Amino acid sequence: MKLGVINSAYFGSPIDAYGEAIKITKEIGFDTIDVYPADGEMTSAQIKSVKALCAAADLPIRSTVLILFGLFDPNKPARDFAVDLGKRLVDLTAILGADNMLLVNGEYFWQLETGFNKEWIWGNVVEGTRKIGEHAEAAGVKISIELEPFKMSLINSIDTMDAFLKAVDLPQTVQANVDCSHLDLAGIPPTEIQRLKGRIAHVHFSDSLETHGDLPPGRGKAPLKEYLNQLNLAGFKGSVSLELEWPPDQSREGVIAWVTEAYQATDKMMQELGCRG
């Protein structure tokens, strides 16, 4: 496994997430980086800069990120737009040379009490993801579906992840993202990772307490080392990418210290398990 970080760790700080952050990420010791296109897009200048800086730093881009709630918008033109946006982000992922695009599909709305029932929402998300997945397959990019730990999330358990991947039915292209803090918050034990063996495209790694927080490993209660061990036993060979939300001190020094702390704690676990390489 490789050890990476999502550049969103630097959002809100004085550090340019598409510029200086790349050099800092390499200096800390990371093997890879994920690029989060803020607001679903990047300028031509950002794309050119990120590619050049990552190449110069020998820091491969492993994943991009897209939060896409529009696949189940009540209005068909909006659903069509969401599919087109997904395809554009797949194209961006290919341009950046990344392996996969993380896709977050959102939550059921109106508490499923009126109008658009669970089956209608689920069916539209499956259909839209399949269209994006077919585009990704042609582009040589995988789609990595994130499991969210919230009550109304479409994908919030291993059962729903398994059902969703089977419904989309693009097993070589549309696969799972294993977010370890989300698994812990959802009460999913590490051994359940084995149910996704051979279907894991990417991994997010952070710690958690009682609510979502994306903390540096060691600051929460998640059994992160055992999650890593189970990923290793499942034969996962990709990147474990740190997903960090923001430190109390968002100065340049504070953010670098936060990311460095997370790197050192995760590297220690990986070295002890013999799974980084």
Side-chain angles (χ1 to χ4, degrees):
M1 294 182 227
K2 303 297 183 183
L3 178 51
V5 66
I6 309 174
N7 73 324
S8 58
Y10 302 95
F11 286 1
S13 79
I15 301 169
D16 178 6
Y18 305 100
E20 185 188 11
I22 294 169
K23 180 181 178 182
I24 292 170
T25 296
K26 183 65 176 183
E27 289 173 347
I28 290 171
F30 287 97
D31 305 313
T32 64
I33 193 168
D34 294 359
V35 175
Y36 192 150
D39 295 324
E41 59 186 353
M42 290 171 64
T43 67
S44 297
Q46 282 177 329
I47 294 169
K48 183 177 180 180
S49 172
V50 166
K51 289 189 68 175
L53 288 169
C54 286
D58 189 24
L59 190 69
I61 301 167
R62 280 293 173 257
S63 184
T64 60
V65 179
L66 178 61
I67 298 174
L68 193 66
F69 291 3
L71 293 177
F72 53 100
D73 190 285
N75 304 293
K76 187 176 184 301
R79 296 198 299 275
D80 292 342
F81 176 84
V83 170
D84 288 341
L85 177 59
K87 290 178 179 179
R88 291 203 303 273
L89 262 291
V90 165
D91 293 340
L92 173 62
T93 305
I95 290 168
L96 292 173
D99 297 336
N100 71 89
M101 180 186 82
L102 180 83
L103 185 60
V104 183
N105 277 327
E107 302 184 359
Y108 296 108
F109 54 78
W110 292 345
Q111 302 181 107
L112 298 173
E113 292 179 6
T114 182
F116 304 92
N117 63 28
K118 186 174 185 177
E119 291 71 26
W120 184 91
I121 294 171
W122 177 273
N124 275 284
V125 176
V126 167
E127 179 185 359
T129 302
R130 185 182 297 119
K131 290 175 180 176
I132 297 169
E134 288 169 348
H135 187 79
E137 191 169 49
V141 169
K142 289 186 177 182
I143 303 296
S144 180
I145 303 296
E146 186 160 38
L147 184 156
E148 298 287 347
F150 310 115
K151 180 180 178 181
M152 297 297 288
S153 295
L154 274 75
I155 312 298
N156 61 7
S157 66
I158 299 296
D159 285 344
T160 51
M161 177 69 79
D162 179 60
F164 188 79
L165 297 180
K166 287 176 177 175
V168 174
D169 195 25
L170 292 170
Q172 301 305 311
T173 301
V174 179
Q175 298 186 342
N177 168 269
V178 170
D179 187 308
C180 295
S181 71
H182 291 185
L183 294 186
D184 180 58
L185 287 167
I188 300 170
T191 52
E192 284 288 279
I193 287 174
Q194 299 308 318
R195 293 178 57 192
L196 298 173
K197 184 175 182 177
R199 298 184 292 169
I200 303 170
H202 198 49
V203 170
H204 282 174
F205 205 72
S206 61
D207 216 334
S208 59
L209 290 166
E210 301 304 322
T211 60
H212 189 275
D214 288 337
L215 301 169
R219 286 184 175 247
K221 64 176 182 59
L224 295 177
K225 190 172 181 180
E226 186 53 31
Y227 282 127
L228 271 178
N229 183 50
Q230 290 298 324
L231 285 162
N232 193 37
L233 293 174
F236 177 71
K237 302 297 184 185
S239 284
V240 172
S241 289
L242 289 166
E243 181 179 16
L244 300 172
E245 291 189 358
W246 303 283
D249 176 6
Q250 284 199 274
S251 68
R252 185 178 188 279
E253 294 75 18
V255 171
I256 292 173
W258 189 255
V259 176
T260 301
E261 175 189 335
Y263 169 83
Q264 291 174 345
T266 308
D267 175 62
K268 183 174 184 290
M269 282 185 271
M270 296 178 81
Q271 298 293 351
E272 288 172 351
L273 290 169
C275 65
R276 185 173 177 188

